[in-house]
Amino acid sequence: MSHVLPIANGLRTDHPVPGLPFVDDSHLPLDEGPEAIEAVGRHEMSGMWGRYDLNRDSGGWYAFTSDPLNHLLGWVVRYHPEHGRTVLLMRARDMSFWHTQWAGDQLLFRAGGYWWDGTTWYRPGQVWDPVTQDFERRKARMAVTVHATDMLDGRADPARAYVAKVATFDADAPEPDNWLDHLALWAQHHQKQDDALPLERCVVDVSSSELTAGQLLGAPEMAELGGINASTLRAYISRGDNEVPLPQATVGGRDQWARAVAEDWVEARRRSFEGIGAAMAAEDRDSLSPGAAEVRDRFASDFQRTLFDRPDVRKRWVLRQRNQESVAEVAGELAWTVAASLDRIIPTEHLGRVVRAAVMHDWQHSLDIYAGAKGKHDERAQQWHRHLTLTIPVAKMLDWYIRHFPADAYSSIGDIQREAHERWGMAKTDALRALRSALSLDGELTEQQRETYFALLEPHEDTD
């Protein structure tokens, strides 16, 4: 699915999205709570949709409804007891996607996916954290929240703006050029509302050193950073590949990305299923993983012996013009077929679960042995990696799994990290250190291969 974006602000929003027009939302029961908003869209056989959910951590809620006047459009509303409400108009087909956007702490999105939790601004989530089962939170550097009062300097003229009607709203119309005039008109309406959030607390945008002109990259620079051609990047974007982050700005009709966002995207690509596989296959002539390359070489030798070295077999098919070199070539092709088809031979999904269970069992056993007498559990938690051991068969199986299916093993190790964190409160780095130590003792990965692989697993250290 491609990225989903709102198309307009509701007039009664507390936090206008820059650039978007304002649409009259007076026909919605915004002040009556989420149940009333949901009820607008809950009509049998109407083709409408409504839903609400409570956010128990904040005491707030978010609600959704198709528009009763224009069923092709819908409203998404989020309320926070301290930070007020956001009201956005969207295409009806996109509302369910926005439900997932608001399921966590993300109150507002600005500048191509930068998000605010009420206190801190974060960059768009791109690098997956297997322990939290969410994207890593990476703070925007030197981020400053831009409020409505920061933008209303008296020069805007609300008489040049308008409030659109939802029944006639054109979702494909270009954004207004004179948006500050529209913001001024919104401010006039906003101040007439009962118990309106003060304008100095109405969030409009974010400013950050990451978003300055000198930190923005065009498609060619971003593609180069990611090790692909600009045409490949544009192809990703044109087909709606949502792994490419939203641009932070558009300058002269051209998309621009913050360098920090682009670097996160590059890191996410390296840590993706394809990226892990490519990193582990970089030294092989056929771009196979170390384990697959071993299978190819072994079968090439077997096929060579079968097809050429056995006279009884050779005489059945070898013609005069054929020689040992040509047979070796055929054997190599057959061997590659076997090596490239490992996922059809090995049930990797089941294997990953078995490996995870075996690792957790060994770790539990080693911790129980170390604890021995009561009272040692607190002490051991300070240096997990010294007391977490794997039996030789389990260590060798994990090593084999990484060598043959590095991307699948990457996911399984993430599950191990998460389970160890949930069971014992273990840090991600301690789990990785214990696994790496076990593989260095009993595995067959080279030191360089282990270095490459575990570098991709190391958690990002946020220096902000």
Side-chain angles (χ1 to χ4, degrees):
M1 176 185 285
S2 59
H3 293 285
V4 171
L5 297 172
I7 55 178
N9 293 295
L11 187 59
R12 287 181 288 173
T13 190
D14 289 324
H15 308 294
V17 177
L20 297 186
F22 292 88
V23 175
D24 184 8
D25 57 17
S26 60
H27 59 302
L28 298 179
L30 298 183
D31 296 325
E32 298 176 25
E35 297 93 337
I37 298 172
E38 177 194 67
V40 172
R42 291 289 186 176
H43 294 292
E44 295 292 334
M45 307 301 291
S46 66
M48 297 175 66
W49 178 73
R51 171 175 179 156
Y52 82 90
D53 294 88
L54 301 178
N55 190 311
R56 303 189 186 281
D57 292 336
S58 69
W61 49 263
Y62 42 107
F64 310 81
T65 182
S66 303
D67 187 89
L69 305 177
N70 186 344
H71 293 183
L72 295 177
L73 303 178
W75 297 91
V76 299
V77 183
R78 176 154 189 170
Y79 170 77
H80 188 282
E82 179 183 355
H83 301 294
R85 68 187 172 203
T86 297
V87 186
L88 299 171
L89 183 66
M90 307 191 72
R91 290 178 172 83
R93 66 175 184 265
D94 295 336
M95 286 192 295
S96 59
F97 174 83
W98 209 255
H99 177 269
T100 62
Q101 294 283 81
W102 274 345
D105 298 332
Q106 297 88 340
L107 294 178
L108 303 175
F109 294 91
R110 296 292 187 269
Y114 277 73
W115 61 275
W116 185 65
D117 65 357
T119 304
T120 305
W121 285 96
Y122 298 89
R123 295 200 293 275
Q126 298 187 80
V127 179
W128 187 253
D129 184 340
V131 173
T132 63
Q133 288 291 281
D134 199 354
F135 293 108
E136 290 185 4
R137 297 187 174 195
R138 300 188 172 183
K139 296 178 182 178
R141 301 185 187 96
M142 301 176 64
V144 176
T145 302
V146 180
H147 298 92
T149 49
D150 301 322
M151 303 186 72
L152 295 169
D153 57 6
R155 289 179 290 181
D157 183 0
R160 295 196 296 258
Y162 61 88
V163 176
K165 299 295 184 182
V166 70
T168 58
F169 184 75
D170 182 1
D172 296 315
E175 297 178 354
D177 294 330
N178 58 327
W179 191 75
L180 288 181
D181 297 335
H182 289 258
L183 182 66
L185 180 59
W186 162 82
Q188 287 185 351
H189 286 276
H190 182 78
Q191 290 174 305
K192 295 176 183 177
Q193 297 177 32
D194 295 334
D195 300 321
L197 195 70
L199 291 177
E200 60 268 20
R201 293 178 55 200
C202 293
V203 178
V204 178
D205 210 347
V206 57
S207 174
S208 168
S209 59
E210 298 179 5
L211 298 171
T212 59
Q215 292 297 310
L216 296 180
L217 306 177
E221 295 85 2
M222 182 169 174
E224 183 180 2
L225 198 63
I228 59 176
N229 296 325
S231 59
T232 302
L233 176 61
R234 294 190 180 98
Y236 289 163
I237 297 171
S238 66
R239 67 171 179 249
D241 187 338
N242 65 354
E243 292 183 357
V244 179
L246 285 167
Q248 277 59 67
T250 302
V251 180
R254 297 181 181 274
D255 291 338
Q256 302 275 294
W257 289 266
R259 177 175 291 276
V261 173
E263 289 172 347
D264 287 349
W265 171 68
V266 172
E267 182 177 347
R269 281 174 56 81
R270 288 195 297 107
R271 295 181 178 229
S272 69
F273 190 94
E274 294 80 6
I276 295 292
M280 294 300 290
E283 298 179 1
D284 183 70
R285 65 180 184 274
D286 292 326
S287 297
L288 294 175
S289 67
E294 292 171 8
V295 171
R296 177 201 59 206
D297 295 341
R298 182 171 66 249
F299 274 90
S301 177
D302 289 346
F303 291 152
Q304 170 81 18
R305 288 193 299 269
T306 299
L307 296 174
F308 192 82
D309 294 346
R310 288 177 53 185
D312 60 324
V313 175
R314 182 176 58 189
K315 68 182 180 181
R316 298 176 184 176
W317 65 273
V318 176
L319 302 178
R320 290 182 180 275
Q321 63 268 32
R322 292 181 181 168
N323 53 38
Q324 185 173 355
E325 288 73 23
S326 64
V327 174
E329 181 178 342
V330 173
E333 293 176 359
L334 293 172
W336 179 89
T337 300
V338 174
S341 303
L342 281 178
D343 57 342
R344 299 181 187 178
I345 302 171
I346 307 297
T348 56
E349 178 184 357
H350 305 306
L351 176 61
R353 294 182 180 181
V354 170
V355 169
R356 181 184 67 188
V359 169
M360 297 306 297
H361 176 272
D362 277 7
W363 280 0
Q364 182 67 69
H365 182 66
S366 60
L367 288 174
D368 289 342
I369 292 176
Y370 174 76
K374 294 181 179 180
K376 290 189 177 180
H377 289 275
D378 291 338
E379 178 185 346
R380 77 170 186 218
Q382 305 303 317
Q383 295 179 321
W384 288 101
H385 60 283
R386 293 189 179 183
H387 314 302
L388 298 175
T389 59
L390 296 181
T391 57
I392 293 176
V394 173
K396 286 187 174 295
M397 188 70 250
L398 177 59
D399 178 84
W400 185 94
Y401 193 26
I402 293 172
R403 287 187 293 113
H404 289 77
F405 301 99
D408 295 276
Y410 180 92
S411 177
S412 296
I413 290 174
D415 291 338
I416 291 170
Q417 291 176 280
R418 184 181 71 255
E419 188 169 342
H421 178 75
E422 292 173 350
R423 187 183 296 189
W424 302 303
M426 187 188 305
K428 292 179 286 186
T429 52
D430 286 335
L432 290 179
R433 197 175 303 166
L435 293 175
R436 184 170 181 171
S437 175
L439 296 186
S440 68
L441 293 173
D442 301 309
E444 295 181 25
L445 284 165
T446 67
E447 183 176 354
Q448 182 58 51
Q449 288 169 345
R450 282 197 308 275
E451 189 77 24
T452 298
Y453 192 71
F454 279 89
L456 294 168
L457 285 156
E458 286 292 337
H460 173 85
E461 295 295 335
D462 197 329
T463 58
D464 189 293

